[in-house]
Amino acid sequence: FDRVVEQLHKALAVAKEQDVTLLVENEYDCNVGTGEETARLFKAIPDRRLMHNWDPCNAYEMGEQPYPRTWNLLDHSRISHIHLKDADGKGWKPIGAGRVDFEGQLEALKRINYAGTLSVETRYRNSRQDQFSSSVESMDGLQRVLQTI
């Protein structure tokens, strides 16, 4: 953890020189996988040139309850992008068909007047293994969730 913080401080010095913002995603294959680890990182690095790419499904894949438990640990003002995908166990699902509480998560974003960006990250593949139609299924699922809130 200390080495990650040290290296990010070096990267932030370059980011300052170039007037750019860096995003760290909670990603299970990387140094900061859980939302809890992300919260700890952002407490260690208060520099707002380092922002968060929140991925609730990655938190789920790490065994966390993304919303509301892990969500409540995060500094919401540091979230500038969100990945949307869903899963059930270790199987990818279209948005709304898995275990991530997107209804609660999107309602929470509405409550905080979230103004950042979101993107559908299609890892799910339907029975035809077709990326396009799988993405359409996820977008349709997202639309259904949005209609409930």
Side-chain angles (χ1 to χ4, degrees):
F1 179 81
D2 292 339
R3 184 157 185 245
V4 170
V5 170
E6 177 187 325
Q7 295 303 313
L8 281 171
H9 277 297
K10 290 177 185 179
L12 285 166
V14 175
K16 182 178 182 178
E17 290 173 10
Q18 300 299 315
D19 193 31
V20 298
T21 301
L22 303 178
L23 272 70
V24 171
E25 178 178 357
N26 58 297
E27 165 64 49
Y28 48 84
D29 287 333
C30 298
N31 293 307
V32 181
T34 66
E36 194 169 309
E37 291 169 341
T38 303
R40 182 175 173 218
L41 178 71
F42 282 95
K43 284 180 182 159
I45 303 176
D47 189 331
R48 295 188 65 79
R49 274 183 300 275
L50 183 66
M51 298 293 281
H52 188 187
N53 177 13
W54 169 232
D55 191 320
C57 193
N58 284 353
Y60 167 78
E61 290 293 312
M62 292 290 295
E64 290 182 323
Q65 179 194 47
Y67 183 84
R69 188 201 166 283
T70 302
W71 173 255
N72 290 332
L73 301 174
L74 302 174
D75 178 351
H76 306 143
S77 72
R78 303 272 303 265
I79 299 171
S80 64
H81 186 72
I82 300 172
H83 281 171
L84 305 174
K85 61 181 180 279
D86 212 343
D88 186 0
K90 294 297 179 186
W92 302 112
K93 298 289 182 188
I95 294 170
R99 308 287 278 170
V100 175
D101 179 3
F102 278 106
E103 206 171 294
Q105 179 68 84
L106 293 168
E107 285 175 344
L109 292 173
K110 185 177 176 182
R111 279 192 302 277
I112 66 168
N113 294 314
Y114 177 72
T117 56
L118 302 101
S119 62
V120 173
E121 183 181 24
T122 306
R123 297 239 178 127
Y124 160 72
R125 292 292 182 273
N126 60 22
S127 60
R128 295 179 304 210
Q129 297 298 305
D130 177 68
Q131 185 173 9
F132 179 80
S133 63
S134 299
S135 297
V136 169
E137 287 180 44
S138 281
M139 280 301 295
D140 289 347
L142 177 58
Q143 289 293 331
R144 282 189 295 277
V145 173
L146 288 169
Q147 289 171 355
T148 67
I149 61 171

